[in-house]
Amino acid sequence: MKYNRILVRYGEISTKGRNRKKFTSKLRENIIQALKDYPGVSVSASRDRLHILLGEENGDEIIPRLQKIFGIQSFSPVVKVERDIEEICKAGAALVHKSFEPGKTFKVSARRADKHFPLETNEINYEVGSYILRNTEGLTVDVKNPDINLNVEVRKEGVYLSSEIYPGSTGMPVGASGKAMLMLSGGIDSPVAGYLTMKRGVEIEAVHFHSPPFTSERAKQKVIDLSKKLSAFSGSIKLHIVPFTKIQQTIHDQVPENYTMTSTRRMMLKIADKIREQHEGLALVTGESLGQVASQTLESMQAINDVTNTPILRPLVAMDKLEIIDIAQKIDTHDISILPYEDCCTIFTPPAPKTRPKKEKVQYYESFVDFEQLILESVKETETITIHGGADSSIEESFDDLL
Ligand code: ATP
Ligand code: MG
């Protein structure tokens, strides 16, 4: 059975009033980008629906890609046939057979958008239903709660049949709500925070801090691999890799041990904010979850957040670890995150970081060093990689000359 098109139903977008057009055209753009390996495909968006015309392309290969695109409520592969009852019966039977197992129930739901078709709705239901029953042993009709619902839509240009509904990723199309910088470590939390932010329609660029030789190439590769997983939801992702060794060592030498962690986080935030500014992002995103570790108490957040007025999105703030792990498994980042390579923060973590740091104190300790200069150097030496998503993700390395 060869599908001719896929019918896509919008999720939350359809409640967007006057902005609706902006959202639907963003979704169309994202679908085209996700299916760029299939040149025969074309996409047309209308007010309530979007149609993916498959041409000669294989619908079964396209389905898993659609399942990762935010802004889709559900979608159904559709077969188009001539306005001929025999053709409709045959195509209907083939569709039902695709998901049929003995004992299953079905029903036919016909709709006549074109009233010139010689059979009425009930007659179509009857003709198609009885043809399928005659040709399928073990199948019965259930009009109230069928396992398989065969939709038949008669239009002027042809007849459309569908029987399967795939759930979409819901949310809003990536890029429809602006851009933010995700502070991406190699841990479990921050990739999940990135995923949830993208789901709200935000385009993400990732910022990662590494401290060679204390952190290895493998630790860096882990973050590239995590970004690749995230890029499956957005088509591509930029990853900014910031050299952080000098700053960490300076903090280690100059700031009292129980305040090094607070100071490190403040420097990270300052740098991420500068990179955000250069790339015209509107917010920062972290994987912080309230109370999870010393740096994630409200007192710590206040002392760290002190360095910027930029909105910081913390999508995990009220989640517990098991909920976060659940999502990490679903988006396939979990097994990469648990690989045991060192992170720049864990290496310099003091045995007893302050859980209730005072921002006045950390400001005072930092005042003896020209951190601004070190920050500018780090930003200047930042390396930017663009990672393209999809089944065969590729990586393109470029030193960003904006920096
Ligand atoms: P994660 O699992 O995301 O590493 P975590 O629970 O281990 O989070 P922390 O290590 O305290 O928590 O980090 C808190 C947040 O700070 C992270 O979620 C991430 O957003 C950011 N962060 C930590 N380390 C780095 C890093 N090396 N590069 C970029 N961001 C980082
Ligand atoms: Mg971490």
Side-chain angles (χ1 to χ4, degrees):
M1 169 86 342
K2 193 176 163 303
Y3 298 122
N4 306 97
R5 59 171 67 197
I6 296 176
L7 166 75
V8 174
R9 299 172 195 89
Y10 304 139
E12 228 180 295
I13 307 177
S14 49
T15 63
K16 289 285 169 257
R18 266 183 294 158
N19 281 329
R20 183 191 186 118
K21 190 142 197 307
K22 185 180 123 197
F23 285 89
T24 50
S25 53
K26 190 77 214 171
L27 178 61
R28 177 171 178 269
E29 225 176 84
N30 292 354
I31 292 177
I32 291 172
Q33 159 80 12
L35 303 181
K36 64 179 186 312
D37 300 340
Y38 301 92
V41 162
S42 63
V43 182
S44 72
S46 69
R47 220 183 122 68
D48 315 302
R49 299 277 162 97
L50 184 147
H51 292 269
I52 302 173
L53 308 180
L54 294 171
E56 290 304 308
E57 306 290 358
N58 181 347
D60 289 321
E61 283 178 26
I62 284 169
I63 288 169
R65 299 214 178 187
L66 289 182
Q67 282 172 316
K68 288 192 167 160
I69 299 176
F70 294 122
I72 295 179
Q73 186 66 27
S74 66
F75 61 91
S76 296
V78 176
V79 178
K80 182 183 176 194
V81 296
E82 295 296 317
R83 291 159 47 105
D84 171 82
I85 191 68
E86 231 175 275
E87 293 263 324
I88 300 172
C89 287
K90 276 192 206 149
L95 271 182
V96 169
H97 290 165
K98 240 189 143 195
S99 40
F100 172 70
E101 283 158 24
K104 279 204 168 174
T105 58
F106 92 116
K107 106 184 225 200
V108 182
S109 309
R111 269 196 6 184
R112 246 180 7 147
D114 172 24
K115 305 286 182 216
H116 297 300
F117 191 70
L119 298 178
E120 283 184 13
T121 306
N122 282 337
E123 291 171 323
I124 303 171
N125 284 341
Y126 177 78
E127 289 289 332
V128 179
S130 47
Y131 177 90
I132 294 173
L133 280 175
R134 281 200 303 277
N135 288 286
T136 322
E137 214 164 302
L139 183 70
T140 50
V141 175
D142 180 346
V143 289
K144 281 215 176 105
N145 192 19
D147 298 318
I148 306 167
N149 187 1
L150 177 68
N151 285 297
V152 179
E153 197 171 323
V154 181
R155 290 180 166 269
K156 273 204 181 73
E157 70 279 10
V159 179
Y160 298 99
L161 295 103
S162 65
S163 67
E164 296 155 292
I165 297 184
Y166 290 84
S169 280
T170 67
M172 299 206 279
V174 175
S177 323
K179 180 160 78 179
M181 314 309 273
L182 167 68
M183 297 177 67
L184 183 63
S185 70
I188 293 175
D189 302 330
S190 40
V192 174
Y195 163 81
L196 291 174
T197 308
M198 287 196 277
K199 189 170 179 185
R200 296 314 298 163
V202 180
E203 181 193 342
I204 288 294
E205 290 189 15
V207 179
H208 176 69
F209 295 86
H210 80 141
S211 298
F214 304 106
T215 60
S216 64
E217 273 303 303
R218 287 188 309 179
K220 180 171 150 186
Q221 185 59 42
K222 185 176 163 182
V223 175
I224 293 175
D225 293 342
L226 287 171
S227 305
K228 200 185 287 182
K229 289 285 178 196
L230 288 179
S231 71
F233 298 96
S234 61
S236 68
I237 203 165
K238 270 191 184 165
L239 168 63
H240 306 280
I241 301 177
V242 185
F244 201 51
T245 318
K246 218 165 160 185
I247 293 181
Q248 278 202 297
Q249 272 176 328
T250 310
I251 294 171
H252 188 69
D253 296 342
Q254 303 287 335
V255 174
E257 192 180 74
N258 57 354
Y259 266 89
T260 54
M261 195 265 309
T262 312
S263 190
T264 305
R265 292 303 156 117
R266 283 162 60 92
M267 297 305 151
M268 281 186 170
L269 204 53
K270 277 193 187 189
I271 293 173
D273 204 24
K274 284 221 155 40
I275 296 175
R276 172 202 65 77
E277 216 179 313
Q278 284 174 335
H279 293 266
E280 294 170 352
L282 297 169
L284 297 163
V285 184
T286 74
E288 289 164 301
S289 164
L290 198 58
Q292 205 186 74
V293 288
S295 63
Q296 297 173 27
T297 61
L298 281 182
E299 288 87 350
S300 261
M301 280 188 195
Q302 206 191 39
I304 295 165
N305 214 152
D306 173 51
V307 301
T308 178
N309 285 323
T310 302
I312 300 181
L313 310 182
R314 299 180 175 91
L316 312 186
V317 77
M319 287 191 184
D320 59 47
K321 197 75 188 185
L322 290 179
E323 288 174 281
I324 300 169
I325 288 175
D326 229 33
I327 302 176
Q329 277 165 339
K330 201 177 91 192
I331 63 171
D332 209 21
T333 52
H334 178 265
D335 291 356
I336 302 173
S337 292
I338 59 173
L339 294 172
Y341 308 134
E342 64 298 318
D343 181 61
C344 69
C345 297
T346 33
I347 282 176
F348 286 92
T349 301
K354 259 234 160 332
T355 53
R356 295 183 172 185
K358 300 268 177 295
K359 74 174 176 208
E360 294 75 17
K361 280 199 176 171
V362 69
Q363 283 166 354
Y364 172 74
Y365 298 139
E366 288 170 3
S367 68
F368 297 95
V369 184
D370 183 7
F371 276 112
E372 279 312 308
Q373 189 50 39
L374 292 174
I375 287 173
L376 288 180
E377 265 174 45
S378 271
V379 172
K380 195 156 168 265
E381 283 160 23
T382 293
E383 175 196 1
T384 299
I385 299 173
T386 304
I387 297 162
H388 297 286
D392 49 343
S393 314
S394 63
I395 294 176
E396 162 197 311
E397 194 139 352
S398 71
F399 290 89
D400 209 318
D401 40 24
L402 272 176
L403 299 178

